[in-house]
Every structure is written in structure tokens, then in C-alpha cells.
Amino acid sequence: MRAGAGIAAGLVLLAALSLAIGATNLWSGPLDSGMVLAVSRIPRTLAAMLAGAGLALAGVVVQQSVQNRLVEPGLTGTPEAAMLGLLAVTLLAPGAPLLAKMGVAALTALLGTAGFFALSRHVPRRDPMLLPLVGLIYAGILGSIALGAAWATDLVQYLWSWQSGEFSGVLRGRYELLWLVAGMALLLYLLADRITLLGLGEDYARSLGLNYRQTLLMGLGIVALTTAVIVVSVGAMPFVGLVVPNLVSRWRGDNLRRNLPLVAAAGAGFVLAADVLGRLLRWPYEIPAAMVFAVFGAGLFLWLLNRPRVRHEG
Amino acid sequence: MIEVESLSLHRAGLPVLADVSLRLPNGGVTAIIGPNGAGKSTLLHCLAGLIAPQSGRVRVEGVDIHRVREAERALLLSLLTQNPGAVPRLSVRDLVGFGRWPHHRGRPGPTDHALVEAALERFDLLPLAGREVEALSGGQRQRVFVAMAFAQATPWMLLDEPLSALDPKFARDIMERLRDVATAGPGVVLVLHDLSVAARYADRCICMKQGKILAAGAWQSTVTSDLLTRLYDTPMRLAEVDGQPVVLSA
């Protein structure tokens, strides 16, 4: 609980910082500070936290489903498949409402993730590095199909906006879909035990009375919808789903009923921190949060990989 | 009672199980033995309902195991599979606690907690209960997974090579506890490679060769040097040392 309180306090501090900084000075700037907060800063802060929590949770689900800690949604073709869906809607029904685009993206994301999962069953388990490499290639193939299609139809700029996650464009009225992530998080919490059971492998999960296929489908559905919402709203952010669940797992283990809130909070904190840092480093210009996180997250992950695990007892 | 009726399974055109039928009365330790590739593990997974046969059926306590939902099956059978893939980062108590999951489906009650503690005690895991499974030695880990199956409190426990890669001391630890368990309650069915261990602890045997049952029945009256020789296609001898049965490859 002390850890939970610490993380909560850290999140509040980060959120306050995120609300306070930006191109406009809240206290002496020319604009009405209430309006700046309501239209830009609060949505942006919430968006970063929701996206971070969603990516981290999606990472846990993917890792438990394939029983490999080195996989994350960015290595299962999920965002690329979502982008393919988005491209298709943009081309075929440009006037479709955002929710419909979202739905199509979620559906193609699910298909893409399921494709990776089907592939993963043929990858030998002995070397844990093999599966992420297969994922990298799979995501690369889907990504280049998307790029090819976008290039042929002059939509490359759209693709770019979905590829690099950042929050500078977040305004009131343009991020609310991200609240779906909160709904997914609650649903996931109800499934926490089942997702932990998935991590024991198919044989154990089934002999402990779990409807394996159904649970897997629900889990992958949550991953697909969460990732699609994030890609549509703020763009893809690699590494978050890899680094955050690994940090939490090393620290507190894999009992998801206990740890999912921690994973969500840590994901929210890290992405918000990346966004804040991205706003400060070249003030008043910005560096995309995904890029900041990729640099720091990758470093953190490499350091983690080479560090013996401190075991949590209790 | 486990009733198996003419179970058949082909893979890539080759028979893995060929018309296997058998009946196991409740309780006791039953060892499935036979050479590599005889279909022992496949038979165990068919009994567990995890592999569906192409024909035939398995009934456990009268229930057709391939036609019930997982939730119901998990109340009849518990399973230990060969080397669990990824070792979860769960405490020993949490993992054994998941053995109760089929009963409470996420809402453990006092009975569940009591049975988890009983399973921990039975397998001498109380001193390790707060440790993480990942941090344990191979022998201790195996005991945790067996305890999880035991906590499931099913009429049958199925174990696929529970002793693989275990030192004699750990192997003996596990077998003695399983024998105690089997005299009091659930029937224990296990695939064993160490024939001396099987001879010492098994009440019954199922001898498999090329997907067929060569012989099955009470160990004492079924297993002979001659049977083992035919089973393994190499001279084998059943002997006794200090009153304990041993199996030698002669």
C-alpha cells in the first residue's frame, strides 16, 4: 500500500506540473488561464495518463497471453493493423464519423493481433528472444503495407501522425475517446485472475477451469481496442507496454489482481513524465512524448535486463 | 472411477493411441509406464480432457470429460504437466491458491483459504509460502505445482512425469506424499520413467507400447521381468533389495 500511495503522490505532482507548464504562462500570460486549463492543459494531462495506463495494461495482457515478457503491443502488429484499418476507412468512407473509424481500426487491430498470436504458436519457446523478433518482422510487414498504401494514396502524413505518439494536438473535444481506455482498464481488472491464469500456459489454464479461448479472445480484444483508441487519438507509442509491465513484474510479481492498478498508475506516470519532459527540453518547442519515452524507456529497459532481479518477499 | 472406451488418436497418419480401453477404480497410485513414444503422455492428456481423441470416450465419475465445460472438468481432474513453460512470478501461497480457482472463480472463501494452508502443510511448503516460485529450486518448484493440483481437491490427480530432472531425495519426497494422498482420497495417475520408483509406489500399472495397452492391472500381479522385457524390448529384471522392489536392465 505504501508503494501505491507513493505512486499516487507522484502522479498528482506530475499532473500539477503538466498543468502548470506550456507556451502560455498561467499566471501572467495574455490568455484566460481557466480557459487554457479547460481547453488544453487538462485534456492533455488526462490524455497522457490514459494513454500511458492503456499501453501498459495492454502490454501486460499480451505478455501473459503469449507467456513472453519481451513482447508488447508494438511487437504484435497491433498498431500497424489499426493504421491499416484507419487508412481503409479514410479512403473508402472519408466522411465516416470518428466512432465508426475507431470501430474499424479496433477490428483490424484485433485481426492483426490474432494473426500474431496464431503465428506465435509456431515459434519455438526455447529462446525467449525469438518471439519478439518474429513480432518485429510481422509488425514491419504490416507497417510497410500501410506505408505503401498511404504513399500510393497521398496519405503518408496521416500515417505519420498515427505513428509518433504526442500530445501537443490534444484539445477538449478531441481526446474524449481515450476514456474508453478507462473502461477497458476496469474490465481488465475484473478479468485479472483469468489473465494471470493465461500466464501459466494453456494446459494449466484449462485444467484450472478457464475457458482458454474465450479468455484469450477477450484479452486480445481489450488489447486491440485500447491500442486502436490510442493510435487514433494520440498516435502509437512503442516501449511503454514493454518497460512498464516488466518494471512492475520485477518489483511486485505477477499477481495481477494486486498489481494491475500499479501497472496502470506506473504507465500513466511514465508517459505523463515523458510528455512533461518533452515540453521542457526545448521550451517553448516540443519533442513528441513517444520519442522521449523511447530514449529513456529503452535505456531503462537495457539497464533492467542486465541487472539481477531484487526479489520481493511477502 | 475413470472409464476409457476404445480411445483412438492419429497424428500425421500414425496411430498415437490405438483402441485404448481401461477402467480405474477410485484411489490408489496408478503408474503409466512404457518406452518413449508409447503414447503415455498423450493418454494422460486425453484423460485430462486437454487432447480430444478422434474416437472413443473418457468418463470420469460418470461424466464424459470431452463434452463438459472446462469449469466442470476442473472439479473432477487436476493436472501437473511436464515442465511448465514460463515460471510465474507468484508467491508459493498465491500459486497454490490458484488450485482453488475452479471452486471459487475469483471469490475465495474461508474453506478455500483453509484448503490452501492444508495443501501447503501437506507438501511442507509453509516455510516457503511467502517466497516467489521463481526463486525456488527445481525440486521445490515441482512440489509447489503438485500442491496446487492437490489444493484443487479433485477425485483425480493426473501428473505427467512429476519426477523428471529431480534428485532422488526430492523424487522420494514427492512420491511418499503422493502415496499418502492417494490412500486417503484422490486417485493419482502418473507417467513415470523410473521403474524402480514405479515398482515401489504404484498400486496399479498401465503398460503402454506403440499406442496400445500391453498390460494393465494391480502392479503386484501384473508386472513381471518377462512383461518388462517385452515392454521395453530389452532384457529387464524385477528384483528385490532389502525388501524393496527394484527394476534392473539386465
Side-chain angles (χ1 to χ4, degrees):
Chain A
M1 274 304 91
R2 225 176 49 212
I7 288 190
L11 261 181
V12 169
L13 260 170
L14 268 173
L17 193 61
S18 162
L19 293 178
I21 57 168
T24 306
N25 188 321
L26 275 190
W27 289 274
S28 60
L31 295 169
D32 173 36
S33 52
M35 190 196 74
V36 171
L37 279 174
V39 173
S40 163
R41 302 266 173 92
I42 292 177
R44 179 175 191 157
T45 304
L46 286 173
M49 288 167 70
L50 286 168
L55 288 165
L57 291 173
V60 173
V61 177
V62 169
Q63 285 163 19
Q64 294 284 319
S65 304
V66 297
Q67 292 187 270
N68 189 315
R69 294 185 200 285
L70 299 175
V71 177
E72 64 128 13
L75 293 174
T76 60
T78 314
E80 286 78 7
M83 290 175 206
L84 274 171
L86 279 174
L87 275 178
V89 199
T90 312
L91 283 171
L92 302 174
L98 189 58
L99 217 58
K101 287 185 178 170
M102 204 25 261
V104 173
L107 196 67
T108 52
L110 181 60
L111 288 176
T113 317
F116 172 78
F117 193 84
L119 201 63
S120 80
R121 293 170 82 91
H122 301 286
V123 176
R125 295 291 164 105
R126 292 227 171 78
D127 183 356
M129 289 307 291
L130 210 51
L131 193 57
L133 287 176
V134 169
L136 203 63
I137 295 167
Y138 178 73
I141 292 172
L142 291 185
S144 34
I145 295 174
L147 183 60
W151 186 75
T153 52
D154 273 341
L155 289 175
V156 176
Q157 287 203 338
Y158 274 89
L159 201 62
W160 279 345
S161 75
W162 299 325
Q163 266 170 349
S164 72
E166 53 109 18
F167 299 95
S168 63
V170 173
L171 291 173
R172 186 171 64 193
R174 283 172 57 181
Y175 85 103
E176 282 75 1
L177 262 181
L178 276 172
W179 281 105
L180 269 175
V181 171
M184 292 294 112
L186 284 180
L187 184 59
L188 208 53
Y189 191 69
L190 294 178
L191 296 175
D193 275 352
R194 287 174 168 81
I195 307 286
T196 308
L197 281 173
L198 283 184
L200 296 181
E202 181 173 352
D203 280 356
Y204 276 113
R206 289 178 62 193
S207 65
L208 287 170
L210 190 74
N211 186 332
Y212 183 75
R213 278 169 182 277
Q214 193 192 64
T215 309
L216 198 65
L217 198 65
M218 281 196 287
L220 297 186
I222 290 173
V223 169
L225 190 57
T226 304
T227 310
V229 171
I230 293 169
V231 167
V232 172
S233 317
V234 294
M237 275 196 255
F239 285 118
V240 180
L242 182 67
V243 174
V244 176
N246 270 289
L247 273 175
V248 175
S249 167
R250 288 177 74 107
W251 176 37
R252 307 289 288 204
D254 286 337
N255 192 331
L256 296 184
R257 186 185 279 246
R258 238 169 272 153
N259 291 349
L260 276 183
L262 225 52
V263 171
F270 273 106
V271 170
L272 187 57
D275 184 46
V276 167
L277 213 57
R279 278 186 267 167
L280 289 174
L281 286 175
R282 289 179 61 212
W283 196 88
Y285 305 103
E286 296 196 8
I287 304 173
M291 200 181 286
V292 176
F293 189 89
V295 172
F296 285 90
L300 194 63
F301 191 65
L302 283 177
W303 176 68
L304 260 182
L305 274 183
N306 288 309
R307 196 169 160 265
R309 185 168 168 241
V310 183
R311 290 201 170 89
H312 158 73
E313 302 207 355
Chain B
M1 165 126 55
I2 294 184
E3 298 156 282
V4 178
E5 278 171 43
S6 44
L7 215 55
S8 291
L9 182 71
H10 292 252
R11 262 193 215 127
L14 295 170
V16 186
L17 293 176
D19 200 23
V20 170
S21 296
L22 62 96
R23 289 161 86 84
L24 292 175
N26 284 63
V29 175
T30 304
I32 306 178
I33 59 171
N36 294 328
K40 307 180 294 286
S41 209
T42 310
L43 175 63
L44 195 85
H45 280 78
C46 276
L47 297 184
L50 295 182
I51 296 181
Q54 274 137 3
S55 64
R57 63 176 173 177
V58 177
R59 278 186 299 184
V60 177
E61 309 304 311
V63 176
D64 186 334
I65 220 66
H66 292 102
R67 283 168 185 258
V68 293
R69 292 181 310 134
E70 261 98 355
E72 211 172 315
R73 195 161 62 210
L75 299 175
L76 294 169
L77 301 155
S78 58
L79 177 77
L80 176 97
T81 65
Q82 261 181 76
N83 24 306
V87 182
R89 286 178 184 157
L90 293 173
S91 73
V92 170
R93 183 174 272 118
D94 282 352
L95 185 63
V96 173
F98 271 110
R100 297 300 302 162
W101 203 79
H103 298 269
H104 62 65
R105 315 268 314 165
R107 292 157 191 250
T111 325
D112 297 303
H113 292 302
L115 286 170
V116 171
E117 295 309 308
L120 289 171
E121 194 178 353
R122 179 127 214 174
F123 287 88
D124 261 341
L125 293 167
L126 279 176
L128 302 176
R131 301 266 302 273
E132 271 195 8
V133 179
E134 205 187 35
L136 304 180
S137 71
Q140 293 169 327
R141 257 184 222 175
Q142 195 71 318
R143 236 162 58 205
V144 177
F145 278 93
V146 176
M148 174 171 84
F150 176 70
Q152 215 171 323
T154 48
W156 291 92
M157 287 173 74
L158 310 177
L159 303 96
D160 194 4
E161 292 192 35
L163 311 181
S164 63
L166 290 193
D167 293 339
K169 177 182 176 302
F170 290 117
R172 185 193 171 127
D173 264 11
I174 285 188
M175 285 313 297
E176 287 190 344
R177 287 192 175 81
L178 283 174
R179 185 169 61 186
D180 291 351
V181 164
T183 49
V188 173
V189 182
L190 30 64
V191 174
L192 282 178
H193 268 293
D194 187 328
L195 295 172
S196 294
V197 169
R200 186 160 171 186
Y201 294 99
D203 303 309
R204 284 185 294 269
C205 71
I206 299 170
C207 306
M208 292 196 69
K209 188 177 184 181
Q210 291 169 351
K212 296 195 185 83
I213 292 186
L214 196 65
W219 183 281
Q220 290 283 349
S221 56
T222 311
V223 178
T224 59
S225 299
D226 178 50
L227 173 72
L228 291 176
T229 302
R230 276 188 294 136
L231 186 61
Y232 287 95
D233 283 324
T234 183
M236 304 287 281
R237 199 156 72 87
L238 191 60
E240 218 168 82
V241 174
D242 296 339
Q244 295 289 349
V246 289
V247 176
L248 307 166
S249 125

